[in-house]
Amino acid sequence: MASNANGASNHAQKDALARTKRWWFGLLTKSVFVTCVAVYVATELTGLDALIHTWRRLPYSAHHLLATYPLVDAHADVPMAIAEKLAGDVSKFKLNTSALGTHVDMPRMRAGRVASMVMAAYVPCGNASIKETHAMMQLVRDIADADDENVVIAKTASDVRLAHATRRVALVMGVEGLHAFEDETRTPVEESIRNARRLGARVITLNHNCHTAVTDSCCADAQPAKSVGGDGSRGLHRPEVLLLLNDLGLVVDLSHASVAAAADVLRLSRAPVIFSHSGAYELCEHPRNVPSNLLPLVRANGGLVMVPFHPPFLCGDSVLAVVEHISFLARHLGIRHVGLGSDYDGIPKGVRGLHTGVDAYPVLVDALLERFSPSDVALVIGGNFLRVWDNVLRQASTAV
Ligand SMILES: [Zn+2]
């Protein structure tokens, strides 16, 4: 009797197990069917491309992407803004100074999740002063010293990566225009470059809107070029200065250089070079932009064209104009050769959507995610610049 009862109980258990299995299998089949129908309907409604694109960027909002990958803005005129608008008072830089009309301040750097920014020491053409240039660089150092828990001075790309990983902002010192070193002290430009590097400068823009003994500018309308070679094509007059910049591991910046000077530098430089705040001439015929005949040279050099937010350089006044220049350059130059250089605080107003200042970067990143994969956006917003900086340092003969 007992064994019969056990047998009946086992049989009942097996039945129950089989029923449970059937139930789960049925649920799984229905779920797969419902998912397939949902995917089919969504595809029909939105188009396959859109669906795939949505899926690819699904884990990425702008904020997620900016938390994961460092954003580097290759050109801002913050020292000039502090000197002019804040009367050199760095302590005000820590406040939310939007009322003072600056594009950059620490709270908005945090809101925009900026990892790094190149801060250019700039003195106007015709008013060159090494002393004033050094004072501008000191302003950048003062910003970092005043808030050393949150701000560091970066001397290498690795410094930027570390700062991003530890949620700090890395400031990179730049000098905009070698005219700054052609003042009345008659210090040889080579010595001034070495001094600037010693003080922390890592990006050197060869020109502003005036020619120098080293290179011609794109935009010195009232000033004849210092010397043009017999074939009329030369714009780099002192190649040895370029090679010194390469040796010292300084990033050479061709924004503001003439087309002839840029072509010479792109052919001769041992290290990749950048246009830190220039758009595509093909889309906007402004002399500050990079013409299409230079693009193959930029690609061969391994360099970058970094798009600004200044409406006259874009021939457009919205965030889409920035995206259009980036898209054009990605198509004709390659995604690995494009970057960002807002020119914040050097321009009266950025394009609509980015006009508030550095807090608006997520707006741009969201717009880029509409067209590019997250990994390509990561390259454009900073990955390309950091790779180029690594390569510049690899070509240097001087230890950092
Ligand atoms: Zn500039």
Side-chain angles (χ1 to χ4, degrees):
M1 283 297 285
S3 82
N4 276 352
N6 279 346
S9 157
N10 283 346
H11 196 72
Q13 276 176 3
K14 277 182 189 163
D15 271 358
L17 196 63
R19 268 200 307 278
T20 308
K21 276 185 184 167
R22 273 201 302 277
W23 186 83
W24 278 109
F25 183 73
L27 183 68
L28 189 68
T29 313
K30 281 174 199 150
S31 303
V32 169
F33 178 73
V34 169
T35 306
C36 288
V37 170
V39 168
Y40 175 76
V41 171
T43 306
E44 284 299 302
L45 289 177
T46 63
L48 189 59
D49 281 357
L51 189 73
I52 289 171
H53 188 78
T54 306
W55 174 74
R56 278 168 76 195
R57 66 162 292 194
L58 209 53
Y60 285 97
S61 66
H63 282 278
H64 181 195
L65 193 126
L66 288 164
T68 313
Y69 300 102
L71 181 143
V72 185
D73 184 332
H75 193 85
D77 284 302
V78 175
M80 183 180 80
I82 292 177
E84 285 179 1
K85 294 179 181 167
L86 309 180
D89 185 352
V90 166
S91 66
K92 288 182 187 160
F93 183 76
K94 292 198 289 180
L95 306 175
N96 190 332
T97 52
S98 49
L100 293 167
T102 55
H103 295 128
V104 181
D105 58 56
M106 285 312 297
R108 282 186 292 159
M109 290 260 248
R110 288 242 169 268
R113 306 202 75 141
V114 179
S116 183
M117 189 164 234
V118 178
M119 299 213 162
Y122 161 73
V123 292
C125 285
N127 192 21
S129 163
I130 292 176
K131 214 171 124 198
E132 214 182 309
T133 304
H134 288 180
M136 293 263 184
M137 292 169 68
Q138 187 58 44
L139 279 178
V140 180
R141 191 168 287 287
D142 289 346
I143 295 168
D145 288 347
D147 193 8
D148 58 1
E149 278 191 11
N150 296 308
V151 186
V152 295
I153 300 288
K155 292 184 175 174
T156 65
S158 303
D159 291 345
V160 173
R161 293 186 185 100
L162 180 64
H164 181 252
T166 52
R167 293 183 60 82
R168 286 180 295 173
V169 175
L171 304 182
V172 182
M173 286 192 205
V175 175
E176 189 170 13
L178 289 179
H179 65 279
F181 299 151
E182 293 182 336
D183 77 354
E184 70 289 344
T185 63
R186 303 273 176 242
T187 310
V189 69
E190 288 89 339
E191 195 181 323
S192 294
I193 289 170
R194 282 198 181 87
N195 286 337
R197 185 182 177 282
R198 222 172 283 133
L199 292 170
R202 289 298 181 268
V203 177
I204 303 289
T205 311
L206 298 182
N207 293 90
H208 198 261
N209 294 338
C210 50
H211 305 305
T212 73
V214 179
T215 38
D216 291 339
S217 166
C218 61
C219 306
D221 296 337
Q223 184 192 18
K226 287 229 165 165
S227 67
V228 175
D231 62 0
S233 66
R234 285 175 52 231
L236 171 64
H237 310 303
R238 295 199 52 204
E240 68 277 17
V241 173
L242 171 65
L243 299 178
L244 173 70
L245 293 165
N246 289 164
D247 278 345
L248 293 175
L250 295 166
V251 178
V252 173
D253 175 13
L254 291 172
S255 279
H256 292 275
S258 71
V259 173
D264 286 351
V265 169
L266 285 163
R267 285 195 193 97
L268 195 67
S269 178
R270 273 204 333 265
V273 303
I274 64 171
F275 290 82
S276 72
H277 53 307
S278 296
Y281 188 84
E282 191 85 8
L283 296 188
C284 183
E285 293 186 2
H286 191 289
R288 283 278 288 93
N289 286 339
V290 183
S292 289
N293 62 343
L294 285 185
L295 298 184
L297 293 177
V298 175
R299 190 167 40 235
N301 163 270
L304 303 178
V305 178
M306 311 186 79
V307 176
F309 302 168
H310 189 35
F313 292 176
L314 300 167
C315 295
D317 187 23
S318 80
V319 66
L320 280 180
V322 177
V323 175
E324 286 300 334
H325 278 252
I326 290 171
S327 298
F328 177 88
L329 291 165
R331 274 199 311 279
H332 296 276
L333 180 60
I335 195 79
R336 290 172 65 79
H337 300 278
V338 191
L340 305 175
S342 65
D343 212 359
Y344 274 139
D345 281 335
I347 55 177
K349 201 172 177 189
V351 292
R352 259 180 304 117
L354 303 175
H355 58 283
T356 53
V358 285
D359 54 320
Y361 274 114
V363 175
L364 175 60
V365 171
D366 266 332
L368 289 172
L369 282 169
E370 292 297 320
R371 291 209 192 169
F372 298 98
S373 68
S375 55
D376 283 351
V377 176
L379 289 176
V380 171
I381 65 167
N384 286 333
F385 180 81
L386 295 177
R387 184 192 68 247
V388 161
W389 198 359
D390 281 335
N391 288 340
V392 167
L393 294 174
R394 244 174 245 132
Q395 296 300 323
S397 59
T398 307
V400 179

